[in-house]
Amino acid sequence: MGWFPCSGSSKHTSKKRKKKKDSTNSVQLGSEKLKAKNLLGSKEDVKDGESSQIAAKTFTFRELAAAARNFRGDCLLGEGGFGRVYKGRLDSNQIVAIKQLDRNGLQGNREFLVEVLMLSLLHHPNLVNLIGYCADGDQRLLVYEYMPLGSLDDHLHDVTPAKKVLDWNTRMKIAAGAAKGLEYLHDKASPPVIYRDLKCSNILLGEGYHPKLSDFGLAKLGPVGDNTHVSTRVMGTYGYCAPEYAMTGQLTLKSDVYSFGVVLLEIITGRKAIESSKTGGEHNLVAWARPLFKERRKFSQMADPVLQGQYPVRGLYQALAVAAMCVHEQPNMRPVIADVVTALSYLAAQRFDSDSTQGVQNSRWTPATPPRTKRDGDKRQKGGSSEARW
């Protein structure tokens, strides 16, 4: 759930972060209300030129310490570069997740403010709900809805024998839901929001494996008007950063699409984005997958072994085709996230009945060609586009 620069020293960049102010953002944190001006525009919540009063509830440090039983070890849910997350119970008896930022950690005051603002102004079934925050003295805490099944990372990597293996249907459901959350940020928020830190550990799972994106401290407003990109210091998680962003610092919506492609590959293969225990071409997931994308007969080798062949062959091929397009080296060849949602929603709707089959050869899953999106029709009327289409 933590993050660090894609390149360079985290200590060096954290010092620079304290000194540098972003000319496009102006935020002020009070004891009762968080005021934002020109940080985020939302079609429903904020109009151009208006300042916004954030409705997130404020908590005292004492209240949250009591909720998390003084941050005892048995309440700890996880930790990363930002600090620790604890399970807590508010006075209202609501179960919550409390993120206590490490005062010497990687997530600074500005990232804390950005996350509060983003999650206060943006609301979608596939984004985690922010309940409130605490800014007592130098204490910085965030209070989220509690996601009982943990992160996607918990269910894909280093899984304990006691944990249920994610079946194909559940994997496609999670992928489609995560894509819908990203689509909301790209296409519904105005200006669009670039998530910038999409990875398995930031996709949290609720009842029924319902996915929600979390951790918005690195989110940035996307380009508007004639601008094609946002120039910013390279931040994110190694293995998920789009190559053009890592090299130039030029951030676009397609940077998020690349990160999503890496996550989709993890969902399909069960491999980590970066396998520190592996060497050579298998160390980096995308580098390992690219040669295999070119040989259809090897697609079955890419499926997660724990599935034990219980997946639809054509569904696997189509999911891998989506992932391959998302991690294309050329940003303009990657699909827009709306088209990814269309494809994955279709795959998620095709239920694979593993109980009635002996394996992939006898699959009862019979997909048809995914429908083209309205966006594709518009492109054809305008004479085509370099955007990838299904």
Side-chain angles (χ1 to χ4, degrees), residues 37-51:
K37 185 176 181 180
N38 298 329
L39 178 62
L40 183 66
S42 174
K43 293 179 181 178
E44 295 80 15
D45 299 295
V46 180
K47 297 179 180 179
D48 290 342
E50 290 185 348
S51 61

Side-chain angles (χ1 to χ4, degrees), residues 2 25-26 30 42 116 131 188 198 200 234 238 326 352 369 374:
N25 300 325
S26 175
S42 174
V116 172
I131 295 171
K188 307 301 181 185
L198 183 59
C200 287
V234 178
Y238 181 53
C326 288
F352 173 71
T369 301
K374 181 179 181 298

Side-chain angles (χ1 to χ4, degrees), residues 2 8 11 15 34 81 96 115 133 140 182 204 214 265-266 283 299 307-308 325 328 339-340 366 374-375 385 388:
K11 292 183 179 179
K15 291 180 181 178
L34 188 65
V96 295
E115 185 154 10
Y133 66 94
R140 296 290 182 268
L182 198 58
L204 303 183
S214 68
L265 273 177
E266 289 185 87
H283 171 69
F299 278 11
L307 289 172
Q308 297 183 338
M325 296 173 97
H328 199 288
D339 289 350
V340 175
T366 54
K374 181 179 181 298
R375 187 188 298 264
S385 168

Side-chain angles (χ1 to χ4, degrees), residues 286-299:
V286 174
W288 168 80
R290 278 201 172 118
L292 299 177
F293 286 148
K294 301 174 183 178
E295 300 185 58
R296 186 174 178 131
R297 60 187 177 82
K298 292 186 177 180
F299 278 11

Side-chain angles (χ1 to χ4, degrees), residues 92-137:
S92 62
N93 273 337
Q94 181 180 7
I95 303 298
V96 295
I98 302 172
K99 181 163 78 170
Q100 183 181 31
L101 303 187
D102 183 350
R103 283 169 285 182
N104 299 314
L106 295 173
Q107 188 162 0
N109 191 56
R110 183 183 178 281
E111 286 75 21
F112 170 81
L113 293 172
V114 168
E115 185 154 10
V116 172
L117 293 170
M118 290 288 180
L119 291 179
S120 295
L121 296 174
L122 300 173
H123 302 282
H124 186 269
N126 295 109
L127 301 184
V128 72
N129 292 323
L130 178 73
I131 295 171
Y133 66 94
C134 169
D136 274 356

Side-chain angles (χ1 to χ4, degrees), residues 127-179:
L127 301 184
V128 72
N129 292 323
L130 178 73
I131 295 171
Y133 66 94
C134 169
D136 274 356
D138 59 354
Q139 294 287 347
R140 296 290 182 268
L141 299 96
L142 295 163
V143 184
Y144 306 97
E145 64 176 317
Y146 175 63
M147 302 294 283
L149 299 184
S151 73
L152 175 58
D153 186 77
D154 297 333
H155 295 265
L156 281 181
H157 307 135
D158 304 321
V159 180
T160 61
K163 187 161 289 186
K164 179 184 175 182
V165 172
L166 292 180
D167 61 29
W168 178 262
N169 294 331
T170 302
R171 292 177 192 230
M172 290 301 100
K173 173 184 177 179
I174 293 170

Side-chain angles (χ1 to χ4, degrees), residues 26-41:
S26 175
V27 291
Q28 180 179 355
L29 185 61
S31 60
E32 298 297 330
K33 293 181 179 179
L34 188 65
K35 299 179 179 180
K37 185 176 181 180
N38 298 329
L39 178 62
L40 183 66

